[in-house]
Amino acid sequence: MQLSLITALALLVLTAVGFLAGRSRALALAEKDGSRLHSLPGYHGYYVALWAGLPGFAVLAAYALAGTMIVNTIVLDRMERAAEPLQARYELALANDDIWSEAEREIARLDDEMAALRGEAEQVIAAEGVQSDAVEALRARQDELQFAQDDARFTRDARANTIAGDIIQAVPEAGDHALARAGFEFARLPVQEREVFLADARALAFGDGLASRDTPELRATAGALQPVHSAIAWGACLGALGLALAGLAFARTHLAVRFRARNRVEWVISATLALASLIAILTTLGIVFSLLFESLRFFAAIDWRVADFLFGTQWSPQTAIRPGQIGQSGSFGAVPLFAGTALITLIAMMVAAPVGLFAAIYLSEYADSRVRAWAKPALEILAGVPTVVYGFFALLTVGPLLRDFALFLGYEDAVTQSALSAGLVMGVMIIPFVSSLSDDVINAVPQSLRDGAYAMGATKSETIRHVVFPAALPGIVGALLLAVSRAVGETMIVVMAAGQAANLTANPLESVTTITVQIVTLLTGDQEFNSPKTLSAFALGLVLFVLTLILNIIALRVVQSYREKYD
Amino acid sequence: MGAIALAIAFLGVLLGTIVLQASGAFTNYVLTLPVTLEREIADPRGDMSEASLRRGSYNQLIQRSLQSEFPAASSRADLRELFGLYSGLNAASVMHRVIADPSLVGSTIDVTMPANHEIDLYLKGVTVEESITAGSGTIQAGAISGDITLSSDSPAFANAIARIRQQASSERDALLGRAARLEADAAGAASRDAREAGLAAARRAREEAARFDTVIDPETRITLGPRTASLLIRLNGGVVAVSALTPDGREAEGRVLLPLESAEASASWSEWVIETPAAARRITDQQAVYARALEERGMVERRFNTNLFLNADSREPELAGVMGAFIGSVLTMLVTMLLAVPIGVGTAIYLEEFAPKNRLTGFIEVNINNLAAVPSIVFGLLGLAVFINTFGMPRSAPLVGGFVLALMTLPTVIISSRAALRAVPPSIREAALGIGASRTQAVFQHVLPLAMPGILTGSIIGLAQALGETAPLLMIGMVAFVADAPSLGLSGLTQPSTVMPVQVFLWSGASERAFEMRTAAAILVLLTLMIIFNAAAIILRRRFERRW
Amino acid sequence: MADSAAPAHTAKTVYHSVANTHPVKVAASGVEVFYADKQALHGINLDIQDRSVTAFIGPSGCGKSTFLRCINRMNDTIDTARVAGSIRIDDEEINDRAVDPVLLRARVGMVFQKPNPFPKSIYDNVAYGPRIHGLASGKDELDAIVETSLKKAGLWDEVADRLDQPGNSLSGGQQQRLVIARAIAVNPEVILMDEPCSALDPIATARIEELIDELRENYCLIIVTHSMAQAARVSQMTAFFHLGHLVEYGPTEEIFTNPRDRRTQDYITGRFG
Ligand SMILES: Nc1ncnc2c1ncn2[C@@H]1O[C@H](COP(=O)(O)OP(=O)(O)O)[C@@H](O)[C@H]1O
Ligand SMILES: [Mg+2]
C-alpha cells in the first residue's frame, strides 16, 4: 500500500512535470520557428501530461485491482506443486483404506437409492397429491436414507482426516516441507475456509489485520507470499513509473509548431465523456444479466417449474430445506405476492389518482400565483420525504388508527400491519408524483384550445371537463402508469406496514405481502447465497424489473406521442 | 381546493406526529452517582498498567455506590431491581475515563449516566399513570421494614378502597359488555365454527370478569396483585406497598419498599397510586420507588440527550445514537457524489453536445429514461449480485452503498444536467464556434458554466434522494447492527456501517418502546439534512436563475 | 412561385462580367449541401473578391445562410448536414481533411442575425478569441488588441470606461458591434454576416452599415440581407439565390438595374419573396 501510494504521488509529480515540459518545449519551438503554434502551449503541456499520467495510472489501477489475486495464484500454485508428493501419498492411502472405500461406496449407493425414491415419489405425488399419507411415508424414508448417508459421510471424512493426519505427521516441519504441508492442508480445506486461510497468511505476511491462528503452515505460506508480493508490487510500481517516463519522453518528441495538440487532448476528453455515457448502458446490462443469471439458477434449482413459480398459490420459501426434498419444492408460488402487490397498488392509486389529478387541475387551471407559490413547495417536500418516514408513519400512526377503527366497527380480526394502511400511506406518497406529472401534461395543452372553448361560451369547469381533460387524457394515462410502476416498486412502506404473511386475499384489512417485501425478507439476515430461497429473490426482482419496465415503456411512449402532438 | 388541502393536511399531520413523538427523545433522565474507584477493583493487577485498568470491574464499583444509597436493599431480587436502574454498558465510559486519567484511581468521582430506558419513560410519565393524594386520618406502622401491617382507628384507607372498587367494576362492566356483544354476534354468525369461536371468547371474557367479583364484594378482604393498580403508602420518609386491605378500611398489609424512619403514628402520609397494573408495565413498584427516591435526592435529573447525537447505535435505547449512521451516510454520500456527479454530467455533456444523433445514442437515451424509473430495490439486487458476489467487495460497506446509490442517482443527474445544457441557447455555442473555439472549448468555457446552476440543482436533488434511500442498502447488508461508528476517512469506506434512513428502519422495528421516540428523533435529523440539501438546491436555483 | 417547376439540373447561373479590381478571395465551385436527405444547395459556383462587400439576397429558405456557413465550415457542427464540392480561400481548399475547421473559423469570422455576446464582460468578450488562439503574449498586448478591435468596430468611445460590464447590458446595436469587434479581434481575413441588422432599429442599422463600409478597406466581407436597399447601399457585388440555386451574380448596380434572369427581376421588383 505504502509503495503504491508513493508511486501514485510520483506519477502525479511526473504528470505535472510532463505538463510543464510540454508547455515550455512548445514555447521554445514557437520562438525558434518564429511562427504561431497550432495549439496553445497549454495544450502541448496537457498532451505530454496525458502521455505521462494515463499509462502509469492504468498500470497502477490494474495492480490495485488484480495484484492480490495474481500473488495468491502464484503462491497457491507453488504450494500445490510442493504438496504433490503428499497428495499422491494421501490418495494412495485412501484408495487402499477399507473403511474409507466402504463409506464411499455406501454414499454412492444411498445416492442411487434416494434418486429412485424421488422417482417413485413423483409418481405418487402425481397420483395422490402432495398431502397424502403415501408421500408422508416416502418423505420419512428419504429422511432415513439421508441420515444414513450423512453418517457414511461422517465416517468417510473422519477416516480421511486420520489418514491425512498420519501423512502430515510423517513430514518434518522445517524448510521446504512446511510449504508442502501448507499446500496439503490448503487443498483439503473447504472453500469458505480457504479464504480465511489466505487472509490469515496475508495477515502474518504483511501485518494487515489480525491473524486468527498462527501455525507453521500459515507461516510457511506467509513466507512464500512475501517475496512474490514484493516482486509484483515493485514490478508494477517501477513499471508504472517507467511507462510514465517513457510516455513523457515519447510525447515530447511529437511536439512541433504544427502539431495538433489541442485536437489530441480534446479527443481524449470526448472519449472519456463517451465512456461515461456507457456506464448507464452497463448499469442496465448489469441489472438485466445479474437478474437473469441468478433467476436461471433459481429455476434450475426448482427443476424449471417456472409455471409453478408464476402461477403457484403457495408461498413459503423457508420450507424447502434440502434441494430435492420430496413434495417440498412447490412452495415458491408467487401468486400471493403478485396479488398483494396488486391490492396495495390498487389502494394507493385510489388515493393518489383522484387527489393528485385534482391537485394538478386546481394548480394549473384555478390557483392564483400566490397559492401556487406555497402549494408547489409543499408538494415538493411531500415528494422529498424519504419512504422510511412514510413507513414509520404507517406502522405507528395509521396502522393502529385503522385497526382501532375496525375494532370499533366490530371487525374483530383487525391487525396493525394491513394492506389498507400500507396502501393509503403509499397513495399519499405518490400524490406529488401524480400531480407534478399531470401538471406538466395539463400545462402542455395549448392555450388555443381553451380559448376556443371560452369563445364558444363554455364555463371554466365545462372547458376543463370537455376540452382540457380529454386533450390531456393520454398524457394523464401515461402519468398514472408511471405512478403505478412507482407503487409496484416501492419497498420501505410495505416492508414496514404491510406485513410478511403471504395471504391470498382481497380483504384490505388483512396483512398481505408484496414482491418487494419478500425480496427484502429473503435477502436480509443470514443467508447462504446458493439456496433456492435466496435465489428466488432474484427471480422476484426479475419479475419486478420486467413489470416496471413494461409500464415505463408504455407510459413513456404515451407521454411522448402526446408531447409530439402539441409541440 | 380540497385535493391540495388534503395533501398538505397530510404533510402537516405527518410532520406533527413525528415532532410530537420525537420530542420525548431530546431529553432524558440521567443518574449521577458518587463512585469510589477502589484500587483493588479498578486495578486488579495492581500495576496501574493500561491492561490492568482495562480488566477493572467498574460495574461493580457503580453497583456499590448505588447500593450504598439504599442500604436496605440486600436480597438478590432487590439488588436486581436496583441495578436495573441503569445499563451495565455504562461501566465502559468509566473505564475510558480512568484509562485517560489513571490518577483518578482511589478517588471518588461523579459518574453521570443515562437511566435505564424504562425508568426514563416512567419518569417522563409516558408509560405509567400514577397519582399521589394526601391521606386522611392517622396511621401506625407495625415495623419499619419487612412485611408490616398498617393500622388506623379511622377508616383511613376507605378512599383507596373506593377507588379500587370503582376501577374494578368499570373493568368488569367492560368485559361483560364485550361478552354480551360477542354472544349476540355469535347468535347471528354464519357458520358453526364462527359461532363456537364467538361463544368461547365470550366465556373467556365472563371468566375474567368474575375475577373482579371478590374485589367488588364489600364483605371480603381486598387483595392487590399484578392485575390491579398498585397502592403505595408514603409514611415517615419511607414507602410501603400495600398487598391487602380489610374491607372496613382500617388495616392494610404490605411490604416496605423504602424503610421508614420510625414506626410512630403519623397523620401526614400520602397514597401513591400507580394506576397502570404491574403486569402492563415494564418496571416494578420497587423500581418506581427507587427512581422517585433518587429524584428526590437530586441524583436523577432531566437533561438534554447528548447520547442521541454523539453515540453510535446500541442495544440499549438510552445509549443509542445516530452518530454512526450519520457518519455512514456522510461516507456513502461522498462516494455517491464523487461517482454520480462527474459521470452523470459527463454523460449529459456527451449526449447533448458531442454525440452524433444515431441509433446508439438514441438507445442510450431510452435506456437512461427507463433506468430512471427502475425501482430502487433492483439496484440493490444489482449491487448484491455484481459488487458483492462477483467482485467480492465487502458487505455493509459505505463504498458499496455509495456505488449502488451512485448508479441509482445517475439517471436523475443525467436528465437534469441535459435539461440544463439544453436550456443554454444555441447562440452561445455558435458565438464561440464562430470565432474559432473548438467544440470542447465552447462547451467547457461557455456552455457548462452557464448550465452549472441547473446541473448543481439537479445533482443536489438527486443526492437528496439517495440520502433518503433505504431499500437498496438493505440488499447489500447495510442493515447490520453496528455499535461502532465507522472512522471518517478512507478506511471507513470498507468498515461495516449503516446510514440514517436504515437506522430509522432498524429502530422502528425494535421492540423497546423507548426506540419509538428515538426513531422519530432520527427521522427529524434525517429530514433536517434533506431540508438543508433541498434548500441549497432552491437557493442555487434562485441565485443563478438567468434569462438570456 | 412561378419557377418552382424549373428542374434543378438545368438551372444555369447568370454571371455578369466583373471588373477584376480585387483578387479573388473565396472561390466556390460545385458546392452542394444536404440536410439529411434534403438538398439545400445545388452546385454553387461563385468567386468572391477580397476587400469588398458581397451581398447574398434571395427569398427566405433559399439557402443563403447555408452557403454562408459553408465558408467557415459551420455546417460541420450540424449533425445532419453534408457538404460536397470545393471552396478555396486564397487557393487553399478548406474542405480538405487536413484543414482544421477550428483554425479556419479564426480566419473566417462570423456575425449572426441576433447579437450573441457571451454573458461575460465586454473586455472578456473581445479578448476571448485572442486568448484561445494565443494571439497575445501578455496582458498589455491583449489590452491593445481589445482596444484596437473595439475602435475598428466603432464601439471604443462608448464602452472605454466600462469594459468590465457584462456584454449583454449594451443596447442591441452596440451588442452587434461588440460581436463584430469580437470577430475582428482574431484577425480574420473574411467576415461573414448573416442578416446582421435584422434585429436592429434603423439608427443602429445605419451605424452598422457605416461600419461595414469602413471594414471593406481591410477585409473580405460577405453579408446576407433581406433588405434590397441595404444590399444596394453597402455591397459592391450581389448574388441572388433561389431555391438552393445561385441564380444570378454580378456587380450590385447591374443586378439591381439590369437583372437578366426573370426570377431576379421578380424578386427585386418585389413580386415574390
Ligand atoms: N439545421 C438544418 N436542418 C435541416 N434543414 C435545414 C437546416 N438549416 C436550414 N435548413 C433548410 O435548408 C434550407 C435553406 O435554409 P437557409 O440556408 O437557412 O435559408 P436562408 O438563410 O436563405 O433563409 C431551408 O429549406 C431550411 O429549411
Ligand atoms: Mg438565413
Side-chain angles (χ1 to χ4, degrees):
Chain A
M1 196 61 233
Q2 278 309 356
L3 189 61
S4 43
L5 207 67
I6 291 170
T7 314
L9 283 180
L11 280 179
L12 275 183
V13 171
L14 271 179
T15 311
V17 167
F19 175 78
L20 293 176
R23 201 179 56 169
S24 63
R25 174 148 173 92
L27 284 171
L29 283 170
E31 189 91 22
K32 202 174 77 195
D33 207 59
S35 63
R36 253 174 61 203
L37 289 165
H38 170 279
S39 306
L40 290 180
Y43 282 106
H44 289 87
Y46 289 130
Y47 176 73
V48 178
L50 281 174
W51 267 102
L54 278 186
F57 275 113
V59 168
L60 211 58
Y63 167 69
L65 282 179
T68 309
M69 206 187 69
I70 295 174
V71 171
N72 287 354
T73 317
I74 293 177
V75 170
L76 290 180
D77 188 52
R78 197 174 288 173
M79 277 161 56
E80 194 184 332
R81 261 183 289 128
E84 258 164 26
L86 287 186
Q87 194 66 30
R89 226 178 299 161
Y90 171 64
E91 272 158 26
L92 193 69
L94 283 185
N96 290 335
D97 187 80
D98 289 341
I99 303 176
W100 189 85
S101 310
E102 175 58 32
E104 186 77 347
R105 272 194 298 280
E106 177 71 7
I107 292 171
R109 190 185 63 73
L110 286 167
D111 258 343
D112 291 345
E113 202 167 320
M114 276 196 282
L117 194 67
R118 266 202 292 279
E120 191 181 331
E122 302 246 311
Q123 288 171 5
V124 174
I125 289 175
E128 305 183 26
V130 177
Q131 301 289 347
S132 63
D133 292 344
V135 173
E136 273 308 316
L138 286 173
R139 206 176 286 157
R141 173 87 188 114
Q142 188 192 29
D143 285 347
E144 240 166 70
L145 291 176
Q146 187 70 49
F147 194 79
Q149 195 185 37
D150 287 349
D151 237 20
R153 282 216 174 89
F154 182 79
T155 315
R156 179 192 64 178
D157 294 346
R159 187 64 196 157
N161 278 338
T162 321
I163 294 174
D166 289 348
I167 286 177
I168 283 263
Q169 283 302 310
V171 182
E173 271 189 16
D176 233 14
H177 295 295
L179 196 63
R181 290 172 62 139
F184 186 64
E185 185 186 327
F186 186 80
R188 286 180 34 81
L189 283 178
V191 177
Q192 60 275 30
E193 281 173 42
R194 291 185 174 187
E195 261 176 42
V196 178
F197 183 94
L198 273 178
D200 282 346
R202 295 192 70 83
L204 287 175
F206 313 119
D208 48 350
L210 281 177
S212 58
R213 294 176 312 149
D214 186 357
T215 63
E217 285 77 25
L218 281 172
R219 287 268 164 207
T221 313
L225 277 170
Q226 252 157 350
V228 177
H229 170 82
S230 49
I232 287 188
W234 277 101
C237 291
L238 291 181
L241 288 178
L243 266 183
L245 281 171
L248 198 157
F250 173 72
R252 222 176 87 95
T253 59
H254 274 179
L255 303 189
V257 171
R258 304 305 318 153
F259 179 64
R260 298 186 176 186
R262 178 176 48 71
N263 306 42
R264 303 294 180 93
V265 173
E266 287 177 350
W267 184 87
V268 174
I269 293 176
S270 53
T272 314
L273 295 177
L275 280 182
S277 70
L278 284 185
I279 303 241
I281 291 205
L282 283 182
T283 307
T284 311
L285 289 182
I287 289 177
V288 170
F289 281 107
S290 59
L291 289 183
L292 263 183
F293 182 69
E294 306 291 350
S295 301
L296 288 182
R297 283 174 58 191
F298 168 68
F299 289 130
I302 59 164
D303 299 334
W304 300 103
R305 283 183 301 219
V306 182
D308 282 3
F309 171 70
L310 287 178
F311 306 114
T313 55
Q314 175 73 25
W315 178 264
S316 47
Q318 317 289 347
T319 50
I321 296 160
R322 266 195 297 268
Q325 195 168 26
I326 294 168
Q328 288 286 41
S329 43
S331 50
F332 289 103
V335 166
L337 318 191
F338 301 154
T341 308
L343 178 62
I344 289 181
T345 305
L346 186 73
I347 297 171
M349 290 310 291
M350 273 162 42
V351 175
V355 179
L357 267 181
F358 281 125
I361 292 176
Y362 174 71
L363 279 181
S364 59
E365 302 287 326
Y366 290 95
D368 59 26
S369 58
R370 226 159 15 101
V371 177
R372 280 182 80 98
W374 59 261
K376 280 220 139 189
L379 283 174
E380 272 175 36
I381 294 179
L382 211 51
V385 173
T387 53
V388 253
V389 178
Y390 285 107
F392 177 75
F393 186 65
L395 179 67
L396 270 126
T397 309
V398 179
L401 212 69
L402 286 175
R403 183 203 52 206
D404 293 346
F405 190 61
L407 285 175
F408 172 75
L409 291 181
Y411 180 76
E412 288 280 334
D413 300 329
V415 286
T416 317
Q417 293 192 321
S418 65
L420 188 60
S421 83
L424 284 181
V425 173
M426 190 192 286
V428 172
M429 184 205 84
I430 297 177
I431 289 174
F433 191 72
V434 173
S435 84
S436 86
L437 282 177
S438 316
D439 196 17
D440 290 350
V441 166
I442 293 170
N443 278 331
V445 173
Q447 189 59 35
S448 56
L449 280 185
R450 294 186 185 86
D451 292 346
Y454 290 138
M456 282 163 53
T459 63
K460 189 149 194 162
S461 79
E462 280 168 348
T463 307
I464 291 168
R465 266 183 295 134
H466 299 306
V467 177
V468 177
F469 193 73
L473 194 59
I476 289 175
V477 169
L480 291 181
L481 282 178
L482 282 178
V484 169
S485 138
R486 182 85 188 259
V488 168
E490 168 50 37
T491 308
M492 291 323 291
I493 294 178
V494 279
V495 165
M496 293 164 84
Q500 319 271 330
N503 292 328
L504 187 51
T505 174
N507 181 351
L509 290 174
E510 272 185 60
S511 271
V512 296
T513 195
T514 69
I515 303 177
T516 49
V517 172
Q518 285 307 313
I519 295 177
V520 169
T521 316
L522 292 166
L523 289 181
T524 49
D526 297 329
Q527 36 153 307
E528 14 27 316
F529 195 67
N530 289 320
S531 74
K533 177 191 150 199
T534 313
L535 291 175
S536 68
F538 285 90
L540 290 177
L542 184 65
V543 171
L544 183 65
F545 178 71
V546 171
L547 198 64
T548 51
L549 189 69
I550 291 173
L551 284 170
N552 292 334
I553 289 178
I554 298 176
L556 289 176
R557 279 274 160 79
V558 171
V559 172
Q560 196 123 44
S561 61
Y562 168 77
R563 289 261 161 75
E564 274 159 15
K565 198 162 91 191
Y566 290 124
D567 269 356
Chain B
M1 199 151 114
I4 293 280
L6 203 68
I8 285 164
F10 185 88
L11 185 64
V13 172
L14 177 83
L15 291 179
T17 48
I18 286 172
V19 169
L20 215 65
Q21 273 167 323
S23 59
F26 290 114
T27 56
N28 65 344
Y29 279 89
V30 295
L31 184 61
T32 307
L33 292 172
V35 173
T36 307
L37 299 168
E38 292 164 49
R39 226 164 251 292
E40 54 280 16
I41 296 180
D43 181 21
R45 286 198 213 147
D47 56 3
M48 294 298 278
S49 64
E50 186 179 328
S52 167
L53 291 177
R54 275 186 186 281
R55 302 185 70 103
S57 60
Y58 299 93
N59 197 25
Q60 200 182 337
L61 294 173
I62 300 177
Q63 288 177 352
R64 283 191 186 185
S65 162
L66 200 50
Q67 209 175 343
S68 70
E69 286 297 323
F70 300 101
S74 54
S75 72
R76 284 186 83 124
D78 280 354
L79 287 178
R80 201 172 49 236
E81 290 183 9
L82 182 58
F83 299 154
L85 294 184
Y86 71 98
S87 152
L89 293 177
N90 285 295
S93 66
V94 180
M95 180 184 80
H96 290 307
R97 260 172 86 182
V98 172
I99 288 171
D101 180 10
S103 69
L104 290 176
V105 175
S107 65
T108 298
I109 57 172
D110 271 347
V111 172
T112 301
M113 56 196 178
N116 173 285
H117 55 275
E118 292 298 344
I119 305 293
D120 182 55
L121 289 176
Y122 160 67
L123 289 174
K124 282 174 183 161
V126 179
T127 45
V128 175
E129 288 193 31
E130 58 179 6
S131 62
I132 295 181
T133 47
S136 61
T138 306
I139 58 174
Q140 160 97 49
I144 59 165
S145 64
D147 291 326
I148 61 167
T149 310
L150 298 168
S151 49
S152 165
D153 352 328
S154 58
F157 305 115
N159 274 344
I161 291 173
R163 205 163 33 205
I164 290 166
R165 287 210 170 119
Q166 190 197 335
Q167 195 191 352
S169 57
S170 75
E171 270 181 47
R172 184 185 60 173
D173 292 348
L175 280 168
L176 289 178
R178 193 172 122 85
R181 206 175 60 236
L182 283 170
E183 277 156 7
D185 283 357
S191 71
R192 229 191 92 183
D193 280 0
R195 188 162 62 241
E196 302 270 284
L199 289 176
R203 205 165 336 114
R204 274 198 305 277
R206 284 194 187 286
E207 279 164 16
E208 213 170 305
R211 275 204 247 134
F212 289 103
D213 288 348
T214 53
V215 180
I216 295 164
D217 178 18
E219 295 306 316
T220 48
R221 255 166 70 94
I222 297 168
T223 45
L224 298 176
R227 298 192 173 277
T228 64
S230 299
L231 173 62
L232 308 179
I233 304 295
R234 309 179 81 160
L235 173 70
N236 294 345
V239 179
V240 181
V242 174
S243 56
L245 291 156
T246 54
D248 60 0
R250 286 168 199 272
E251 209 174 274
E253 276 169 28
R255 199 166 70 88
V256 174
L257 296 184
L258 196 65
L260 316 185
E261 279 153 16
S262 70
E264 285 166 26
S266 167
S268 70
W269 59 281
S270 49
E271 284 173 13
W272 173 6
V273 181
I274 303 181
E275 274 139 21
T276 313
R281 53 182 143 95
R282 308 285 289 270
I283 68 164
T284 60
D285 294 346
Q286 177 76 72
Q287 282 181 321
V289 169
Y290 286 146
R292 288 295 178 204
L294 285 170
E295 195 182 19
E296 265 163 36
R297 293 175 206 176
M299 301 173 91
V300 162
E301 55 187 346
R302 198 168 181 163
R303 292 244 186 106
F304 181 69
N305 185 357
T306 48
N307 288 335
L308 181 62
F309 297 98
L310 300 180
N311 281 13
D313 199 6
S314 170
R315 301 271 185 224
E316 300 297 335
E318 68 266 26
L319 289 173
V322 297
M323 196 53 167
F326 179 79
I327 293 178
S329 272
V330 168
L331 292 171
T332 309
M333 292 318 293
L334 270 180
V335 176
T336 306
M337 187 177 78
L338 290 180
L339 287 174
V341 175
I343 295 178
V345 176
T347 306
I349 293 177
Y350 180 72
L351 291 178
E352 207 52 47
E353 306 285 338
F354 287 92
K357 303 279 171 280
N358 58 22
R359 277 266 175 76
L360 180 68
T361 48
F363 174 70
I364 296 181
E365 204 168 329
V366 171
N367 179 54
I368 289 168
N369 285 336
N370 281 314
L371 211 52
V374 168
S376 63
I377 193 170
V378 172
F379 286 93
L381 290 173
L382 170 76
L384 175 61
V386 173
F387 296 133
I388 293 182
N389 287 326
T390 307
F391 293 154
M393 292 184 178
R395 286 175 69 85
S396 312
L399 185 69
V400 182
F403 276 19
V404 169
L405 292 184
L407 293 184
M408 195 196 80
T409 316
L410 206 53
T412 315
V413 177
I414 296 174
I415 291 172
S416 59
S417 301
R418 288 189 72 175
L421 288 170
R422 218 172 299 148
V424 176
S427 69
I428 298 287
R429 294 178 187 81
E430 282 182 340
L433 294 175
I435 44 174
S438 65
R439 180 133 251 176
T440 314
Q441 286 170 328
V443 170
F444 283 92
Q445 293 170 353
H446 295 287
V447 180
L448 198 54
L450 292 177
M452 220 31 159
I455 290 178
L456 287 182
T457 310
S459 303
I460 292 174
I461 288 174
L463 289 177
Q465 265 172 22
L467 177 67
E469 196 55 69
T470 318
L473 301 180
L474 302 184
M475 303 289 94
I476 55 164
M478 288 189 95
V479 271
F481 167 76
V482 183
D484 296 308
S487 48
L488 248 183
L490 267 186
S491 58
L493 289 178
T494 49
Q495 289 167 355
S497 62
T498 188
V499 294
M500 291 292 300
V502 177
Q503 188 74 76
V504 169
F505 173 60
L506 282 170
W507 282 357
S508 73
S511 53
E512 287 90 350
R513 177 87 192 274
F515 269 126
E516 203 172 285
M517 53 173 70
R518 282 171 176 76
T519 312
I523 286 178
L524 283 189
V525 175
L526 179 61
L527 287 180
T528 311
L529 288 179
M530 310 274 309
I531 287 172
I532 291 173
F533 265 65
N534 284 309
I538 290 171
I539 289 171
L540 258 176
R541 197 157 55 189
R542 293 258 159 93
R543 262 306 277 284
F544 293 96
E545 208 162 56
R546 188 191 262 292
R547 298 265 167 264
W548 282 281
Chain C
M1 293 213 181
D3 291 58
S4 60
H9 53 274
T10 61
K12 280 269 190 305
T13 310
V14 180
Y15 293 98
H16 294 247
S17 61
V18 180
N20 278 328
T21 45
H22 296 289
V24 171
K25 183 75 184 174
V26 181
S29 64
V31 173
E32 319 227 302
V33 176
F34 299 84
Y35 289 113
D37 294 334
K38 193 180 136 214
Q39 187 162 7
L41 282 182
H42 303 261
I44 308 292
N45 300 306
L46 185 61
D47 287 351
I48 293 168
Q49 295 182 357
D50 202 0
R51 290 173 207 286
S52 63
V53 178
T54 305
F56 291 173
I57 61 172
S60 79
C62 67
K64 307 178 297 286
S65 301
T66 301
F67 184 63
L68 201 68
R69 296 161 66 91
C70 288
I71 302 173
N72 68 347
R73 286 182 62 178
M74 276 297 265
N75 285 324
D76 290 15
T77 65
I78 297 170
D79 274 335
T80 53
R82 197 160 51 76
V83 180
S86 142
I87 296 179
R88 308 176 80 82
I89 297 182
D90 285 344
D91 259 359
E92 188 194 345
E93 176 59 52
I94 65 163
N95 284 333
D96 200 290
R97 282 182 60 94
V99 171
D100 187 346
V102 168
L103 290 193
L104 173 70
R105 284 179 212 139
R107 286 170 63 199
V108 183
M110 187 154 190
V111 174
F112 298 85
Q113 187 168 353
K114 253 180 72 190
N116 57 355
F118 299 127
K120 297 185 174 184
S121 73
I122 295 173
Y123 182 94
D124 284 339
N125 261 286
V126 183
Y128 180 68
R131 276 198 188 120
I132 59 170
H133 293 295
L135 299 185
S137 54
K139 174 89 175 98
D140 294 343
E141 224 174 300
L142 195 59
D143 287 349
I145 293 179
V146 170
E147 185 176 336
T148 43
S149 308
L150 283 170
K151 276 184 177 152
K152 279 190 198 165
L155 194 59
W156 177 252
D157 297 335
E158 290 156 63
V159 301
D161 51 346
R162 48 184 180 132
L163 289 177
D164 52 349
Q165 289 191 3
N168 21 15
S169 67
L170 298 173
S171 74
Q174 286 174 322
Q175 285 189 19
Q176 197 63 303
R177 276 180 281 147
L178 175 63
V179 169
I180 293 174
R182 187 175 67 189
I184 292 173
V186 292
N187 266 330
E189 299 154 31
V190 182
I191 300 177
L192 312 174
M193 298 189 175
D194 195 348
E195 303 185 24
C197 304
S198 63
L200 303 182
D201 61 57
I203 295 176
T205 302
R207 194 72 190 75
I208 301 276
E209 286 178 2
E210 233 169 79
L211 176 58
I212 293 175
D213 208 46
E214 285 164 23
L215 292 174
R216 178 157 67 92
E217 301 280 301
N218 298 310
Y219 303 93
C220 166
L221 286 133
I222 306 173
I223 168 170
V224 170
T225 176
H226 252 116
S227 145
M228 242 84 65
Q230 185 173 54
R233 280 196 298 270
V234 300
S235 72
Q236 285 75 52
M237 300 290 287
T238 295
F240 172 67
F241 287 77
H242 185 238
L243 292 174
H245 295 273
L246 174 58
V247 174
E248 194 160 349
Y249 177 53
T252 304
E253 272 185 28
E254 280 192 44
I255 297 280
F256 277 90
T257 52
N258 187 17
R260 295 197 206 143
D261 194 284
R262 265 287 307 281
R263 291 169 288 181
T264 322
Q265 246 170 26
D266 289 351
Y267 184 69
I268 283 170
T269 51
R271 220 165 293 165
F272 72 91

